[in-house]
Amino acid sequence: MQRLLVAILAAVDAAIAAAVGLAVLLAPLTLLWTLAFGAAADWGALWPVSGTLWQFGHGVPLEIVIPDEIVMAVGISPDAARFTLSLTPLAFLIFTLLFAARSGTRAARSGAWLLGVVAGSATFTLIATGVASTSHTAGAQASFALAIVLPSVVYLVGTLCGAVCYAWREGDGGIIDRVHDAVDGWGEWGVLPAEIVRGTAVVIVSLTGIAGVAVAVAVMLRGGEVIALFEAAHVDATGVTILTLGHLAYLPTLLVWAVAWLAGPGIAVGAGTAVSPAGTQLGVVPGIPMFGLLPENNSIWVLIVVLLPVGAGAFAGWIVRSRLVWEDVARPLASRVAITAGIALCSAGIAAIAAVLASGSIGPARLAEAGPHAGWMSLAIGAEVLVGSAILLLAPRHRDELAEERTDRWVAEMGASPTADADAAAVGSRPAAGWNSEDPDANDTAPLDDHGFFGDGSTPTHR
């Protein structure tokens, strides 16, 4: 594929990613704008609001400024009229990340991944610049520099990860192949990068699934509290729709909170608060329906949930050890120790990034702190994954594993299945008597006797 075409397709992918994210906001906002304001709606404010929310969804903090007339009408304190809102709805960020990874994979498949990454990221940066330049609102102000940098970084990370992963698996004929060859030259240590990434991916997927189940259980057990908070809001159908869409956008954020709770450190919903398996200590929290899922004071037996991240690490260790046995590199203990430590460190690093993205300010004063603490969450996840993966990766090698290694080695040496009939294979591969190996074509016209045999009594062999 021509390099120009790769660059054009990467730019189109970036434009589609930005357009879909903005359209997801514009479509429902247009409908709600019409229902709420009717013909008197200020349509000029629709795009700035959509652009500001799109930036907020990519991690850009907003400076909320409540007008004085609203402060006086509602009767809130003037100190609460200005605050920072930085707890990000991660649904938009994850969508951009996944779409960018798909674009990077396509560019790598075309043979020019670096050009695709540069073209796509540059296009997305131009779009982010255009959105930041045209979406100024009086009530919610974002930093112009962050409004350009943060969405662009999200797209760059996604497309780079997708391109490099594909190039590492399939080759690119360039720098990735040279790095891959250098790693292969490490011998039995050459499996470390791939197995660490594989084990970390298993841990992240497992924790995400466990968190999803935990949120579902919380909805079943405390769904009544959520409904009560919806009713206490006293909103009409339009307000309920806005709240529901907002909760859906915050669902990935809620999953990160669930992981933090399962790991042990828990989360905060305001300064001086704590929600963890060891207990719940809350003051006055906003009447947001999502907060109805927060557990009340727990029994000491709830601490058993910290074994779930340990189980995720053990599952990753089992997957990686099975691969090591298959590749006949499970014998060195030192490499398995390095893989175990690498999985724990990478899992802790991703947990820290997720905690940073899923925490921030949700209001003035004490509400400036909400979400998990990045340091404690990463430490807990790293330690628990380390214990779980070590149980499977560093355990003594049992007889079944050794027998499997011997069988695989025998199959590789013999070049045949262990269930194959060796005698039949030997007979089938041995030329029959009378076969002319120097001139095989002569065998097709060799004379046969009256009984269908060669002159020396051997049967003809068909090729």
Side-chain angles (χ1 to χ4, degrees):
M1 184 177 292
Q2 297 179 354
R3 297 174 64 86
L4 178 59
L5 185 57
V6 172
I8 293 174
L9 290 177
V12 171
D13 282 341
I16 293 175
V20 170
L22 290 167
V24 167
L25 289 166
L26 275 172
L29 282 178
T30 301
L31 179 60
L32 295 174
W33 222 261
T34 304
L35 295 176
F37 304 106
D42 181 12
W43 293 103
L46 181 60
W47 168 254
V49 171
S50 301
T52 300
L53 291 177
W54 183 78
Q55 296 164 1
F56 181 54
H58 288 83
V60 181
L62 301 179
E63 187 71 22
I64 305 299
V65 180
I66 303 177
D68 294 337
E69 55 271 18
I70 297 180
V71 172
M72 295 177 62
V74 178
I76 63 176
S77 172
D79 297 335
R82 189 183 186 94
F83 60 90
T84 299
L85 184 64
S86 58
L87 183 62
T88 303
L90 293 179
F92 297 98
L93 187 148
I94 291 176
F95 168 79
T96 300
L97 199 67
L98 295 178
F99 203 100
R102 176 177 174 272
S103 176
T105 301
R106 180 184 301 173
R109 190 182 296 117
S110 302
W113 66 268
L114 185 57
L115 178 62
V117 168
V118 173
S121 300
T123 302
F124 199 86
T125 301
L126 290 175
I127 296 174
T129 303
V131 173
S133 302
T134 58
S135 58
H136 297 288
T137 57
Q141 301 175 0
S143 169
F144 183 77
L146 291 180
I148 298 174
V149 172
L150 292 183
S152 303
V153 168
V154 171
Y155 192 89
L156 174 62
V157 170
T159 186
L160 192 61
C161 289
V164 171
C165 288
Y166 183 87
W168 184 270
R169 293 194 310 268
E170 305 297 333
D172 69 336
I175 184 172
I176 300 297
D177 278 348
R178 290 194 292 270
V179 174
H180 199 296
D181 293 340
V183 172
D184 288 341
W186 296 352
E188 294 178 336
W189 293 83
V191 298
L192 259 67
E195 299 308 324
I196 288 174
V197 171
R198 179 176 289 107
T200 304
V202 172
V203 169
I204 300 305
V205 172
S206 300
L207 289 177
T208 303
I210 293 171
V213 173
V215 171
V217 171
V219 171
M220 289 189 296
L221 296 179
R222 298 187 58 81
E225 296 291 336
V226 176
I227 295 175
L229 288 173
F230 263 108
E231 294 174 346
H234 298 294
V235 293
D236 56 7
T238 302
V240 171
T241 304
I242 294 175
L243 284 175
T244 303
L245 293 176
H247 280 61
L248 291 176
Y250 273 99
L251 183 58
T253 307
L254 192 61
L255 293 179
V256 178
W257 285 22
V259 172
W261 188 85
L262 294 169
I267 61 173
V269 190
T273 63
V275 181
S276 70
T280 300
Q281 181 181 357
L282 286 175
V284 179
V285 297
I288 300 175
M290 182 179 70
F291 290 158
L293 299 178
L294 297 176
E296 297 178 348
N297 293 326
N298 303 312
S299 169
I300 191 65
W301 295 104
V302 179
L303 285 171
I304 198 172
V305 297
V306 299
L307 295 178
L308 294 176
V310 176
F315 182 55
W318 176 70
I319 293 291
V320 172
R321 181 151 184 165
S322 300
R323 293 280 304 181
L324 295 178
V325 171
W326 177 259
E327 296 175 0
D328 193 26
V329 289
R331 284 169 288 180
L333 178 62
S335 62
R336 285 185 282 145
V337 171
I339 292 174
T340 302
I343 293 174
L345 289 174
C346 291
S347 300
I350 294 177
I353 295 173
V356 170
L357 294 174
S359 61
S361 172
I362 58 174
R366 58 186 297 271
L367 295 179
E369 297 180 14
H373 188 278
W376 291 116
M377 180 177 173
S378 63
L379 180 62
I381 292 293
E384 290 159 0
V385 169
L386 179 65
V387 171
S389 58
I391 292 174
L392 270 297
L393 273 172
L394 305 184
R397 306 171 74 211
H398 49 79
R399 290 178 297 175
D400 293 341
E401 183 177 302
L402 296 174
E404 184 178 354
E405 283 189 358
R406 287 195 296 268
T407 301
D408 293 340
R409 191 160 50 249
W410 183 83
V411 171
E413 292 175 355
M414 299 298 295
S417 171
T419 59
D421 188 347
D423 295 336
V427 172
S429 61
R430 186 170 55 247
W435 181 264
N436 189 347
S437 58
E438 296 182 357
D439 186 11
D441 294 334
N443 296 291
D444 296 334
T445 58
L448 304 177
D449 60 16
D450 294 337
H451 301 286
F453 290 89
F454 288 119
D456 58 358
S458 62
T459 59
T461 302
H462 298 283
R463 290 177 293 154

